[in-house]
Amino acid sequence: MTLVQLRYLVAIADSGLNITLAAERVHATQPGLSKRLRQLEDELGFQLFVRKGKSLDAVTHAGQQVLERARIILAETAN
């Protein structure tokens, strides 16, 4: 798990689960952001988002917990 992955996770959540918008906000490409999200989910062993086709529909319960912790970690690293 990297800070970049956590930053991307928060960006996705803050962009209304819109990966394209999240990618623009973090100055990344949509495919790159999607790849990092998949890598994070593979590393954790569970999905962070409920998917509907190719789009994200909701944050999973486990994803919400990771998201809360990611926000704390990113805030701590900003200090």
Side-chain angles (χ1 to χ4, degrees):
M1 181 179 312
T2 67
L3 290 176
V4 171
Q5 289 171 319
L6 297 180
R7 201 169 301 125
Y8 288 0
L9 173 64
V10 170
I12 292 168
D14 291 349
S15 298
L17 307 183
N18 183 319
I19 293 179
T20 302
L21 180 58
E24 290 173 8
R25 288 182 174 181
V26 295
H27 308 290
T29 64
Q30 182 274 326
L33 194 144
S34 293
K35 181 179 177 181
R36 292 281 185 124
L37 175 60
R38 289 279 185 192
Q39 289 172 338
L40 179 58
E41 289 179 325
D42 288 346
E43 184 179 329
L44 293 172
F46 53 84
Q47 288 195 340
L48 299 168
F49 298 98
V50 176
R51 289 171 171 76
K52 186 182 244 183
K54 290 187 176 185
S55 62
L56 303 179
D57 192 45
V59 181
T60 65
H61 178 70
Q64 187 61 42
Q65 292 177 329
V66 173
L67 184 59
E68 289 171 14
R69 186 67 183 135
R71 290 183 192 281
I72 292 168
I73 291 168
L74 292 173
E76 289 173 351
T77 60
N79 290 331

